[in-house]
Amino acid sequence: MILRALVVASIFFVGGEHGYLADETTRSRLAAPTTRFGAIEGVISYRNDPQHKWRLARYYLKSPKTGELDEAVVALNGQTLKRFASPRKPTVTSIDQKQMRFVPETVAIGVGDRVRFTNSDPQTHNISLGDPRLRFSDTIAPGQEAVETFAKASGIRHPFALSCTFHSQMQGWIYVFDHPFFQVTRSDGRYRLEHVPPGDYRLEVAHSAGELHMSRPIHVEPNATVKIDFVLTPADRSPAE
């Protein structure tokens, strides 16, 4: 009886002063953080208006019928988001110049990240950015490249606008955020923001090529996924300020 009591006591106190059972399930449960994150997901699409047609829509819509929108930027807006930007190594995102276009035209990066500009065209291009927050002019011959660092946030309403001095039809946009809760849609129009702290925010969507913008209030619960779809129309056109 004494031996049995000693065995039970030794198992019970393996966890130290907290006195919990020392099995893996219990240790994992007690070690888990008390605050759980949520997620946000959905689809961004565009519905055309025959009276106000978007002439460039064919470049960004997977299907005119369903309207999934490519290269739309989705981001949270909230006062507390910046403190969730954990230290990390700067990343490098590539933008090519191909068939007289920036490919991709739209990227979203974090503060301090870099963009590598390459040139796959037979023509020489010049990447120009004349923004008061950042100015550069890089002439890039075929096969060459240039790298620029984006040290200041733009937010979703004021992206950095790229142009080519030699080819006026070329346009591109770089969105820079001081928090990690952003994404650029691809051809299926889908997005998903993960590890979002519970709270109240605004969820914003922008598409620079269409001068489109929309936002909605959103509440994120712990351990839950909020599903929000956006359907943009010409009525959501918001010219750059």
Side-chain angles (χ1 to χ4, degrees):
M1 181 64 71
I2 294 174
L3 179 59
R4 181 181 178 184
L6 289 173
V7 171
V8 172
S10 65
I11 294 175
F12 184 79
F13 288 102
V14 164
E17 63 181 1
H18 302 292
Y20 55 84
L21 293 175
D23 61 272
E24 289 298 327
T25 302
T26 305
R27 281 206 298 268
S28 298
R29 176 174 57 81
L30 293 175
T34 55
T35 301
R36 303 289 185 175
F37 298 125
I40 310 167
E41 68 179 19
V43 178
I44 312 301
S45 58
Y46 180 81
R47 185 174 65 243
N48 215 344
D49 180 351
Q51 302 300 319
H52 304 88
K53 287 187 176 181
W54 178 19
R55 65 182 181 83
L56 299 178
R58 67 184 185 277
Y59 294 113
Y60 306 102
L61 300 184
K62 179 179 180 180
S63 165
K65 291 183 178 180
T66 54
E68 294 89 348
L69 187 57
D70 192 11
E71 295 198 23
V73 180
V74 185
L76 280 183
N77 188 343
Q79 301 258 334
T80 63
L81 293 173
K82 187 175 180 179
R83 64 189 178 95
F84 293 99
S86 58
R88 61 182 180 83
K89 289 184 177 180
T91 64
V92 179
T93 299
S94 295
I95 295 180
D96 195 10
Q97 294 162 102
K98 188 175 182 179
Q99 297 179 350
M100 309 297 284
R101 294 184 66 192
F102 290 112
V103 182
E105 285 186 343
T106 304
V107 299
I109 61 176
V111 169
D113 288 347
R114 294 175 291 171
V115 176
R116 176 185 290 113
F117 299 96
T118 55
N119 183 5
S120 295
D121 277 340
Q123 301 88 358
T124 295
H125 290 295
N126 174 273
I127 301 174
S128 179
L129 180 58
D131 194 292
R133 299 165 294 178
L134 178 63
R135 298 178 185 274
F136 59 78
S137 178
D138 296 323
T139 297
I140 305 178
Q144 293 186 345
E145 65 178 45
V147 178
E148 297 289 349
T149 300
F150 289 75
K152 294 183 178 180
S154 69
I156 200 167
R157 297 304 301 269
H158 302 284
F160 293 95
L162 301 172
S163 62
C164 175
T165 304
F166 303 147
H167 310 101
S168 60
Q169 78 274 21
M170 295 177 64
Q171 55 184 359
W173 298 272
I174 298 176
Y175 291 76
V176 185
F177 294 94
D178 57 9
H179 62 76
F181 308 108
F182 60 85
Q183 197 171 82
V184 180
T185 63
R186 294 309 173 204
S187 60
D188 60 2
R190 294 186 177 277
Y191 73 93
R192 181 176 172 85
L193 306 179
E194 298 184 331
H195 308 298
V196 180
D200 295 309
Y201 309 97
R202 290 200 73 84
L203 184 62
E204 298 191 75
V205 177
H207 196 285
S208 288
E211 297 181 337
L212 302 168
H213 178 265
M214 181 184 286
S215 69
R216 291 182 187 173
I218 184 173
H219 179 73
V220 178
E221 295 279 357
N223 298 314
T225 297
V226 184
K227 295 188 177 183
I228 297 185
D229 296 336
F230 285 84
V231 180
L232 299 165
T233 73
D236 300 305
R237 188 172 183 270
S238 176
E241 298 174 15

